[in-house]
Amino acid sequence: MTSAGHYRALAAQCDAKAKQETDWKVRAEWEHMARSYHRLAEQAERNAQTDVIYETPPPRPAAIPSAQQQQQQQPQQPQTQGESQIEPEPETNP
């Protein structure tokens, strides 16, 4: 039996129990379960029609560690009185 068929059989069982139930709250729960199994059956049918093939993506080239990247440093100018020392950000090469 397919998944869709299995869910339809469960839905039929829930429908049968709902028809036998005298308490309206319990009957509503059985009907809700039946609708849920019907939706699962429809989804199982859609899934059966879909061909999904998973292929592992090719490996990425290894990233260069930041310690190995070469950066140019700007020469520092002498600090004059009253100026705070702020170092320029290093240039990055793309």
Side-chain angles (χ1 to χ4, degrees):
M1 178 183 300
T2 65
S3 295
H6 177 72
Y7 291 134
R8 283 207 172 78
L10 291 172
Q13 290 175 6
C14 291
D15 280 331
K17 289 189 183 215
K19 289 178 183 176
Q20 295 172 354
E21 190 57 53
T22 56
D23 183 0
W24 68 271
K25 289 181 183 179
V26 177
R27 182 175 49 244
E29 289 297 321
W30 282 115
E31 290 170 349
H32 178 73
M33 288 289 295
R35 284 191 305 274
S36 297
Y37 279 124
H38 281 294
R39 283 193 300 272
L40 284 171
E42 292 168 4
Q43 184 65 52
E45 285 179 343
R46 286 191 297 270
N47 290 348
Q49 295 172 0
T50 304
D51 290 332
V52 176
I53 300 172
Y54 177 78
E55 294 181 10
T56 306
R60 295 181 180 178
I64 301 172
S66 60
Q68 293 180 358
Q69 292 179 350
Q70 294 180 355
Q71 297 180 353
Q72 296 179 349
Q73 293 186 351
Q74 299 289 329
Q76 293 186 355
Q77 297 177 353
Q79 184 179 359
T80 60
Q81 190 173 5
E83 289 182 356
S84 63
Q85 185 172 353
I86 301 174
E87 295 195 18
E89 292 187 19
E91 296 179 8
T92 57
N93 294 330

